[in-house]
Amino acid sequence: MSSSSDFQQDRHSFSGSPQKWTDFELPGDTLYYRFTSDMSNTEWGYKFTVTAGHLGRFQTGFEILKQMLSEERVIPHLPLAKIWEWQVGVACRQTGHQRLKAIHLLLKIVQGSSQGDCDLTLLKPLWQLFTHMENNSCHDTAKPGILLPLHRALAELFFVTENRVTELGSLQEYLLALNTEDHLHRCTAQ
């Protein structure tokens, strides 16, 4: 079982008696599973139960962190670098509304942080997602000018982040860190 169709992310494999199975959690709202039999016995297979996440766990954490990041007097006492790192990871792993909420928190952190609090180069996977969405929206002539909520959220995050690094005087280093060498070669050729 995995949270990705290629079975590479959050993978859990089980074999043998039911006693070897343990409960586990997967991020996101989709579960992929593959059942393979080696035909070594004549049992019926396996049965598993999928339950939505623990009630309020993500939402509670989101609300607490959102409130803490809204209090200017609290922000200096927070380990923003660590929170930033965790939130980027959450935004990369989650999907749907949870990803949007994680991006919302990233935006609050960028807006409230001081120089050097956040390693903005950690945004590279989200930048790749954003540029992929940008490239696909240019080719979608059925709905010109309409952006999906995730696309809008990422656009705002990168707009604010770019303004922030410009203020700090490190725009060039930031852009070089986010882009692949291939992308930079293509841009230079254009």
Side-chain angles (χ1 to χ4, degrees):
M1 295 180 210
S2 175
S3 63
S4 65
S5 59
D6 62 1
F7 294 90
Q8 297 301 310
Q9 295 177 341
D10 307 304
R11 183 180 175 156
H12 298 270
S13 296
F14 299 97
S15 178
S17 67
Q19 290 76 24
K20 293 183 179 181
W21 287 60
T22 58
D23 288 350
F24 62 93
E25 292 184 23
L26 290 177
D29 58 4
T30 305
L31 163 77
Y32 296 90
Y33 67 95
R34 179 174 30 218
F35 176 79
T36 307
S37 173
D38 63 5
M39 299 186 187
S40 62
N41 59 30
T42 57
E43 301 296 325
W44 284 96
Y46 290 98
K47 176 182 175 182
F48 59 91
T49 304
V50 177
T51 308
H54 297 287
L55 184 61
R57 176 183 268 179
F58 181 91
Q59 186 62 30
T60 301
F62 168 77
E63 291 297 334
I64 291 169
L65 192 50
K66 182 176 83 169
Q67 189 60 39
M68 290 173 69
L69 292 169
S70 298
E71 298 288 331
E72 286 184 30
R73 59 188 167 83
V74 173
I75 291 176
H77 304 286
L78 295 175
L80 282 182
K82 203 52 148 163
I83 293 171
W84 174 261
E85 186 180 333
W86 292 332
Q87 277 309 118
V88 170
V90 169
C92 290
R93 285 188 311 274
Q94 293 296 338
T95 59
H97 290 293
Q98 291 180 340
R99 176 178 271 170
L100 287 174
K101 288 178 178 184
I103 291 170
H104 173 78
L105 292 177
L106 289 173
L107 191 57
K108 285 183 105 30
I109 294 169
V110 167
Q111 292 168 329
S113 67
S114 60
Q115 186 172 355
D117 278 344
C118 306
D119 180 1
L120 299 175
T121 63
L122 293 176
L123 291 174
K124 187 172 186 167
L126 293 175
W127 175 253
Q128 291 170 342
L129 174 62
F130 176 66
T131 55
H132 176 74
M133 293 178 92
E134 283 284 297
N135 293 336
N136 287 345
S137 72
C138 293
H139 303 300
D140 188 3
T141 56
K143 299 177 184 173
I146 298 175
L147 299 180
L148 297 171
L150 175 58
H151 194 167
R152 285 194 318 264
L154 288 170
E156 184 177 4
L157 174 65
F158 288 110
F159 177 75
V160 170
T161 304
E162 186 175 316
N163 285 338
R164 187 81 176 117
V165 295
T166 301
E167 289 170 7
L168 299 173
S170 55
L171 180 61
Q172 185 174 350
E173 294 85 2
Y174 168 73
L175 292 175
L176 286 172
L178 288 187
N179 289 289
T180 62
E181 195 171 319
D182 246 9
H183 179 76
L184 294 173
H185 286 298
R186 280 195 311 274
C187 289
T188 303
Q190 288 176 350

